[in-house]
């Protein structure tokens, strides 16, 4: 019985409706950062400056029930948890673009909006192996 409840819970979790693209602004930013190289020990060498991606999501419309926003990455780690507010810019450090494309570690995020009763809507961000950036399954950039 417990196993059935877990399976039903996971199925329902995937059915959170996607937030409409007219309810948030999306911006993909690049900068060059020094990526540590070598074996990670002190005194290791630097691999040089490489492209690093950040994404900015700004809610422009919230339902009256949406009070909080939480972001988790594909590893299941929560990277953001705050009160939801219109025009409150959410900055997500995506990582080095080569790592994102290679799916070395983090390459996707779920931004979930909550009411007191539970999930209300979500935005999905992911990077394909060819560098395509998908937002709710729609191509929104490429690196």
């Amino acid at each position: 019985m417990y196993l059935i409840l877990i399976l039903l819970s996971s199925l329902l979790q995937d059915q959170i409706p996607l937030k409409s693209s007219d309810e948030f602004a999306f911006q993909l930013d690049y900068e060059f950062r020094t990526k540590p190289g070598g074996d990670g020990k002190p005194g290791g060498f630097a691999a040089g400056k490489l492209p690093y991606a950040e994404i900015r999501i700004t809610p422009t419309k919230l339902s009256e029930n949406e009070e909080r926003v939480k972001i988790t990455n594909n590893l299941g780690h929560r990277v953001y948890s705050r009160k939801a507010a219109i025009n409150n810019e959410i900055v997500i450090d995506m990582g080095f673009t080569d790592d994102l494309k290679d799916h070395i570690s983090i390459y996707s995020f779920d931004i979930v909006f909550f009411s007191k009763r539970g999930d209300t809507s979500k935005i999905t961000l992911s990077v394909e192996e060819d560098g395509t950036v998908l937002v709710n399954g729609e191509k929104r950039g490429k690196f």
Side-chain angles (χ1 to χ4, degrees):
M1 183 67 165
Y2 184 70
L3 181 61
I4 292 171
L5 289 174
I6 292 173
L7 290 173
L8 285 175
S9 174
S10 68
L11 288 174
L12 292 175
Q13 210 171 29
D14 291 337
Q15 295 177 355
I16 302 169
L18 295 176
K19 194 161 203 51
S20 174
S21 61
D22 65 347
E23 295 181 8
F24 65 93
F26 167 84
Q27 182 179 341
L28 176 61
D29 291 329
Y30 295 103
E31 63 181 30
F32 287 91
R33 292 189 184 178
T34 302
K35 183 175 183 179
D39 56 12
K41 294 181 182 174
F45 66 94
K49 294 202 179 260
L50 298 171
Y52 190 92
E54 286 184 341
I55 287 183
R56 298 173 190 281
I57 299 285
T58 307
T60 56
K61 181 180 178 187
L62 295 171
S63 77
E64 62 187 57
N65 298 330
E66 292 175 328
E67 297 175 352
R68 295 203 55 81
V69 59
K70 294 180 184 178
I71 303 174
T72 55
N73 61 30
N74 60 286
L75 300 177
H77 299 134
R78 184 182 311 162
V79 295
Y80 184 93
S81 179
R82 302 273 189 295
K83 182 177 178 182
I86 293 175
N87 296 324
N88 184 26
E89 183 177 72
I90 301 167
V91 179
I92 302 170
D93 276 338
M94 295 288 287
F96 290 97
T97 58
D98 286 344
D99 294 345
L100 291 166
K101 291 191 284 187
D102 291 341
H103 289 192
I104 288 176
S105 62
I106 299 168
Y107 59 88
S108 69
F109 295 85
D110 285 330
I111 304 165
V112 182
F113 294 85
F114 290 90
S115 70
K116 288 181 181 177
R117 291 188 285 285
D119 315 345
T120 58
S121 64
K122 73 176 179 177
I123 301 169
T124 61
L125 301 172
S126 63
V127 177
E128 301 291 304
E129 291 178 343
D130 68 352
T132 301
V133 178
L134 299 176
V135 178
N136 288 346
E138 296 178 11
K139 182 178 178 180
R140 298 293 291 268
K142 187 170 181 173
F143 40 75

